[in-house]
Amino acid sequence: SRKEAVDDALRAFLRCVDEYQAASAEVAACCKSGVFDIAQARKNMAGKGIGVSQIHYPARMRARATVDVTPSQGEEEGKASMSLKMREEQILVDEDGNEDPSMDRDPIKWFGLLVPVQLKNSQKTFKRGLESAVGAARAVVAMEATWARYERLLEDLRETPQE
């Protein structure tokens, strides 16, 4: 019946809200843990004369991960597909856009060969946080689509004469 369809749409919306809250909590936890790990790595590396800060990042670096958002064809308005694309290796380019083979592609190696475990852990944690952020964004898109469906069904129910 139409009332059941409205109830199902509302339940679907609430499931999307739950997914969003879980993904947002995971993003927050990953950020907190990653920053803490970097702080510990800074402390451990301070005595070696190697610092962990933005000063050590090459200015010509490109992102290792990108989020690709593409609108879906022929589906409900507001739906989109999102994917996280991880590059297999870091690509560093010079000012002319040519690849620079002299720079190491793994950011962890910028700080030496024997880096603290916390620095490696922070890299893994931030990667997991990025994946969770994509999950949160997917949940927002799904929330918008299911809410629009719910409102349409509710409006249809209101316009239909009651028996």
Side-chain angles (χ1 to χ4, degrees):
S1 79
R2 290 182 186 216
K3 289 182 180 181
E4 289 174 0
V6 170
D7 290 346
D8 289 342
L10 185 57
R11 278 190 217 101
F13 174 75
L14 293 175
R15 277 192 297 276
C16 292
V17 169
D18 189 47
E19 290 172 17
Y20 171 74
Q21 289 176 334
S24 294
E26 177 69 14
V27 169
C30 288
C31 287
K32 182 178 177 181
S33 176
V35 169
F36 183 73
D37 285 340
I38 286 177
Q40 284 185 318
R42 275 187 181 161
K43 180 183 174 199
N44 291 342
M45 294 177 79
K48 298 177 185 173
I50 301 171
V52 179
S53 69
Q54 288 183 328
I55 296 170
H56 292 90
Y57 302 153
R60 301 174 307 225
M61 182 181 76
R62 289 187 1 194
R64 290 186 77 172
T66 58
V67 178
D68 183 32
V69 181
T70 55
S72 298
Q73 299 282 330
E75 291 189 22
E76 287 184 37
E77 187 177 312
K79 282 200 172 184
S81 169
M82 287 181 222
S83 63
L84 178 63
K85 294 183 180 179
M86 301 298 291
R87 293 190 183 165
E88 289 301 315
E89 32 182 66
Q90 187 86 12
I91 298 173
L92 299 165
V93 295
D94 60 16
E95 288 80 20
D96 300 327
N98 299 322
E99 201 170 318
D100 188 354
S102 66
M103 301 183 85
D104 202 324
R105 297 174 195 280
D106 184 4
I108 293 291
K109 292 182 182 175
W110 298 341
F111 303 100
L113 294 176
L114 298 173
V115 297
V117 173
Q118 294 90 351
L119 194 58
K120 291 180 182 182
N121 289 344
S122 70
Q123 185 181 38
K124 290 175 189 173
T125 301
F126 284 125
K127 181 180 176 185
R128 191 175 75 235
L130 180 60
E131 292 166 353
S132 296
V134 170
R138 281 188 187 126
V140 168
V141 170
M143 281 170 39
E144 291 170 353
T146 55
W147 185 255
R149 181 174 173 258
Y150 169 73
E151 286 181 326
R152 277 194 314 273
L153 290 170
L154 193 59
E155 188 63 32
D156 289 346
L157 184 64
R158 289 180 184 152
E159 291 175 358
T160 304
Q162 299 294 325
E163 295 178 9

